[in-house]
Amino acid sequence: MTAPIFVAPPTSPVWFRALVWLAPLLLIVTAWIPDESAEKPLPVAGSVALTLLGVGLAALFVQLPRRLSYTLTDTGLRVSRFSGTFEWPYRELRMRRTDGGLGLKMGGVGLPGYHTGTYTFTGAGYQNVQAIASNTRGGLIVERGGTPYYLTPADPDAFAQALAARGVPVLD
């Protein structure tokens, strides 16, 4: 029996989402603006390449958040992200509720609706966490092998209850 857990919807500010989407848009648009002052104008192949790069970047921005998911299976917590899917056995997990959130990104991906990698942590108990999250706030910590992972299910309380029902201990 598997129980999908919905990921919290992203809550990035509108200005930040607009700024992120500006990068592929600028690649596409500026590739086709002629530069009259250039000695050698950009060949059409270069404009096509920049356009394809912009379209590919936009496609990546759309696909990244859609690949993020958590699923409770009979044997463990299955986590899917853009780079792959893995499953943690329940017996290896510990969980902790937190009011903290993600701070600065130290390595990984940080886009609206998709945060993976190492981040500083603003709550008590941890300096850094591994994020597999759709938001920077409103999540919980799942520890495995001493490593804290920050997850953001849509309903953290129900997620915590479901993990506890499967034998995952709650840390104070």
Side-chain angles (χ1 to χ4, degrees), residues 2-165:
T2 60
I5 303 296
F6 295 104
V7 178
T11 58
S12 300
V14 172
W15 68 266
F16 185 70
R17 284 183 280 177
L19 184 64
V20 167
W21 281 101
L22 188 62
L25 180 64
L26 284 176
L27 272 174
I28 295 167
V29 170
T30 58
W32 298 99
I33 296 175
D35 184 4
E36 304 298 332
S37 65
E39 289 181 27
K40 287 185 167 183
L42 186 66
V44 173
S47 294
V48 169
L50 285 176
T51 300
L52 290 175
L53 180 63
V55 169
L57 196 56
L60 186 66
F61 289 174
V62 168
Q63 287 300 313
L64 279 174
R66 292 182 183 183
R67 299 282 188 224
L68 185 62
S69 69
Y70 317 124
T71 306
L72 300 178
T73 69
D74 290 335
T75 56
L77 171 61
R78 183 177 300 144
V79 179
S80 297
R81 56 186 176 177
F82 191 74
S83 61
T85 299
F86 51 88
E87 188 169 317
W88 294 324
Y90 295 123
R91 68 182 177 283
E92 297 177 6
L93 302 179
R94 310 285 177 267
M95 74 175 143
R96 175 174 284 151
R97 294 292 310 195
T98 182
D99 291 332
L102 299 179
L104 297 174
K105 177 180 62 158
M106 297 171 59
V109 177
L111 293 171
Y114 191 82
H115 306 276
T116 62
T118 305
Y119 284 75
T120 60
F121 191 66
T122 61
Y126 306 100
Q127 285 187 325
N128 302 315
V129 294
Q130 295 295 314
I132 307 172
S134 59
N135 281 315
T136 57
R137 298 262 179 256
L140 54 85
I141 300 288
V142 173
E143 285 187 16
R144 179 176 181 256
T147 302
Y149 293 89
Y150 186 77
L151 308 179
T152 53
D155 187 348
D157 292 327
F159 184 69
Q161 289 173 356
L163 283 175

